[in-house]
Amino acid sequence: DRCVFSSPELKDIQFIRSNYYNKLEVARFTSTLGKFVGYTESGVKQANIWNSNPSFISGLKAQREAYCVTNVGIDY
């Protein structure tokens, strides 16, 4: 999990969760897209499973507020 921000503006903060296997990124969730994107064959399958669970996706969207926005003053 990581936060990416280009300014202290709250709208510019992005929460990213990357999933790796053998040092290769297979899937990634970004708060700007609001869904997982797969980068490998297995990552695409897993992303489709995760994206079909609305409560899991809404929890990740909430992480932007809980994890990133609360720390923007400390990190920026």
Side-chain angles (χ1 to χ4, degrees):
D1 294 352
R2 67 185 187 272
C3 300
V4 176
F5 30 126
S6 56
S7 76
E9 298 290 326
L10 296 180
K11 64 179 175 56
D12 293 334
I13 299 170
Q14 181 180 22
F15 172 76
I16 298 173
R17 172 172 285 175
S18 296
N19 296 87
Y20 292 89
Y21 181 75
N22 284 341
K23 299 181 182 181
L24 177 67
E25 186 175 26
V26 295
R28 177 188 294 178
F29 173 85
T30 61
S31 60
T32 54
L33 289 177
K35 66 178 186 174
F36 277 92
V37 175
Y39 297 112
T40 64
E41 184 179 342
S42 63
V44 169
K45 290 177 185 176
Q46 192 62 48
N48 288 333
I49 292 168
W50 287 328
N51 289 332
S52 68
N53 185 344
S55 62
F56 182 59
I57 296 299
S58 65
L60 288 173
K61 289 178 182 178
Q63 286 296 315
R64 179 184 171 274
E65 300 297 322
Y67 184 65
C68 298
V69 174
T70 58
N71 292 315
V72 70
I74 297 167
D75 293 338
Y76 198 75

